[in-house]
Amino acid sequence: MCTALTYLSGDFYRGRTLDYERGYGEEVVVTPRAYPFAFRHEGLCAPHYAIIGTACVADGYPLYYDAVNEKGLGMAGLNFVSSAAYRPCPAEGRGVAQFELIPWLLGSCAGVDEACRLLEGVCITDDAFLPGLPPAKLHWLLA
């Protein structure tokens, strides 16, 4: 189980643990503003906020564990194995694949209120990143 916290006292701090028994090739990754994210259900997002965080890069795509954008909005994906559930993208509606959620929100939003508005009516989908790489069972901290 992963743990996360925020602390505000003049400055803002965010931290998290990454409680895995082994590494998955994670590294510090910077996604520049011009990097084209091609989201499965939300289309191409070329101009977006720059992002830095910890990710495993697979097939040229940053699978972020946690990150912060240039505006200071941060997000962490935390294990939630027994309770996380995703479903297919609805025929009518909006969907974001589980592995796209961090770059989608951090690329699009400058703050928490803006992110909450963007999330309204969005289905977090069960799309696998690649065959054999199913969605991680997560919940998220956004601050």
Side-chain angles (χ1 to χ4, degrees):
M1 178 171 68
C2 297
T3 304
L5 59 93
T6 61
Y7 181 71
L8 179 63
S9 81
D11 292 315
F12 180 75
Y13 300 92
R14 182 182 65 85
R16 61 91 45 87
T17 62
L18 187 60
D19 299 335
Y20 288 136
E21 294 173 359
R22 65 180 191 89
Y24 292 91
E26 58 276 351
E27 58 187 301
V28 174
V29 174
V30 176
T31 302
R33 292 180 194 139
Y35 181 86
F37 282 112
F39 297 120
R40 299 273 170 100
H41 307 287
E42 292 293 307
L44 185 66
C45 179
H48 55 75
Y49 295 123
I51 302 167
I52 185 170
T54 304
C56 173
V57 178
D59 204 26
Y61 192 92
L63 300 170
Y64 279 107
Y65 296 29
D66 60 271
V68 64
N69 70 17
E70 66 184 275
K71 298 296 183 180
L73 183 63
M75 191 168 181
L78 308 166
N79 275 335
F80 207 45
V81 177
S82 62
S83 298
Y86 313 114
R87 55 187 193 274
C89 186
E92 305 249 343
R94 298 172 51 217
V96 175
Q98 170 273 328
F99 64 87
E100 298 172 331
L101 189 61
I102 290 176
W104 181 69
L105 280 174
L106 296 185
S108 303
C109 303
V112 173
D113 291 340
E114 190 178 348
C116 289
R117 284 191 300 274
L118 187 62
L119 281 167
E120 288 178 14
V122 171
C123 171
I124 299 174
T125 70
D126 60 359
D127 294 282
F129 176 69
L130 292 171
L133 192 54
K137 301 291 188 169
L138 303 176
H139 63 132
W140 293 268
L141 170 73
L142 180 68

